[in-house]
Amino acid sequence: MIIEFLHDLGTRNGRTSITLFDRSGQTLVVGASKALTRWAVAGDGPPSPRGHARPGRGPRSVTTAGFHPLSPMLVTNGGRVSVASFWSLEDRWGLAPVYVHPWSDKRAAMAAGQAGAAFGLAFRPGTTTLATGHAGGAVRLWDVREPARPYGLGNLRVRVAYVDALAFSPDGATLAVADHAGNVDLWDFTAGAAPAPVTTLTWGRASYLIFSPDGGTLAANTPFAVALWDTADLSPRPAATLAREPVVPTGLARAVAFHPRLPVLACGDQQGAISLWEVSEVRRPRLVSVTPAHHRPITTLSFHPAGNLLAVGARDGMTALWTFAES
């Protein structure tokens, strides 16, 4: 398995924090600093820009995003003082605002009960339930069947002041919540009306969480390495950790991605390299290849739904497409 450089998208708008393909693979959204760019992807030709949006005016106003499971819509976390904002993708030539929180208007956000920095979000697959993580130790749940009028469903409380990352399992049964103290709490969403806590995983502060497409593995990047848990046999400590020698230092934020079809995990590191790991046996991951990709740390990775492309973003704002080949 190898990756090879294909196209430089030419974006230099500050640190790239988001690379995200939609379910069809025809749209790629790139978030850098305070701007989103929509790209049309077709075959092996270079992607073409399809419009821009600026979700907020404050620092780090574009950090996480997700596509609505049931509507042609993108949701972003909106910044340090508000929760998610919604952008329509119905027009193939842009990102039209549907619901944008008043980022700079703290009074309005607080009056609506929606103040508190949003550092992560995740949709429950196949539903209109959105989870957002906040300063203050809260995970807020929203019904967004009408994105212009999100409806609060309640909160989940964690033990520390900041929620760093969220991820739902592919079947929507489990929500993983990473907090600032290095805990990953798992919540059961099949236990009736109120989600129930299941267990707590501990290994180190995780700034990104992701489940494998089959739901059998949970990956978390930490200051020490990428940790892997077998979801069929969960214990507080991971089943395995991934780290090239010497151990990769901090800087792996949002640089972990599972291949959509193969038991392969791509990891970006502080040195600007991308490593591919074969993880069919969670307890015995195997390093397949290491590719120097950039002069600066890799900050975000995303596989195309077909698995043939890998979008890579870096700290200096460079975003590029790489081809992925099984052999």
Side-chain angles (χ1 to χ4, degrees):
M1 290 174 284
I2 60 172
I3 61 170
E4 294 183 344
F5 180 81
L6 183 61
H7 299 296
D8 179 357
L9 299 188
T11 56
R12 299 292 189 276
N13 296 320
R15 171 178 173 156
T16 301
S17 56
I18 300 165
T19 53
L20 191 64
F21 288 101
D22 72 348
R23 293 185 298 274
S24 71
Q26 297 178 355
T27 294
L28 170 66
V29 170
V30 175
S33 186
K34 305 171 188 178
L36 292 170
T37 304
R38 178 182 179 180
W39 297 83
V41 181
D44 293 333
S48 55
R50 288 291 187 270
H52 305 269
R54 296 182 67 83
R57 294 178 295 181
R60 295 181 60 195
S61 57
V62 179
T63 54
T64 55
F67 287 103
H68 195 294
L70 305 178
S71 301
M73 200 155 296
L74 178 78
V75 58
T76 65
N77 74 339
R80 286 188 177 274
V81 189
S82 60
V83 297
S85 299
F86 293 83
W87 308 84
S88 174
L89 300 169
E90 289 185 315
D91 183 348
R92 60 187 291 266
W93 289 97
L95 287 160
V98 173
Y99 180 77
V100 179
H101 273 273
W103 190 92
S104 60
D105 188 346
K106 291 186 180 181
R107 291 184 179 179
M110 290 178 181
Q114 298 164 353
F119 295 113
L121 60 84
F123 275 106
R124 188 181 181 196
T127 75
T128 58
T129 298
L130 173 69
T132 56
H134 300 267
V139 175
R140 291 199 168 99
L141 302 177
W142 309 84
D143 184 333
V144 293
R145 70 187 66 194
E146 296 183 57
R149 290 182 293 275
Y151 175 76
L153 298 174
N155 297 343
L156 308 179
R157 303 300 302 184
V158 299
R159 288 163 292 193
V160 299
Y162 288 93
V163 174
D164 287 335
L166 303 170
F168 271 105
S169 60
D171 62 3
T174 303
L175 175 65
V177 180
D179 67 31
H180 220 54
N183 305 303
V184 177
D185 293 325
L186 300 185
W187 293 77
D188 181 5
F189 270 64
T190 65
V198 177
T199 190
T200 297
L201 312 176
T202 55
W203 181 245
R205 181 185 170 189
S207 56
Y208 191 69
L209 298 171
I210 187 171
F211 283 91
S212 61
D214 64 1
T217 304
L218 173 64
N221 69 304
T222 74
F224 313 106
V226 176
L228 301 178
W229 282 271
D230 182 349
T231 59
D233 184 22
L234 285 170
S235 61
R237 295 184 67 82
T241 58
L242 309 180
R244 296 193 291 116
E245 295 297 336
V247 174
V248 176
T250 56
L252 290 171
R254 282 178 294 279
V256 185
F258 277 104
H259 192 277
R261 294 182 293 100
L262 303 173
V264 173
L265 184 70
C267 303
D269 69 24
Q270 179 78 9
Q271 289 75 35
I274 300 169
S275 56
L276 298 179
W277 297 78
E278 200 275 332
V279 292
S280 57
E281 296 184 60
V282 178
R283 298 182 184 278
R284 289 184 288 275
R286 180 174 64 90
L287 179 62
V288 176
S289 66
V290 178
T291 304
H294 204 269
H295 301 298
R296 299 297 302 277
I298 305 298
T299 53
T300 175
L301 299 171
S302 179
F303 274 106
H304 187 279
N308 61 323
L309 297 175
L310 179 67
V312 179
R315 190 180 295 275
D316 65 356
M318 177 180 176
T319 307
L321 286 184
W322 295 66
T323 58
F324 173 90
E326 296 184 34
S327 59

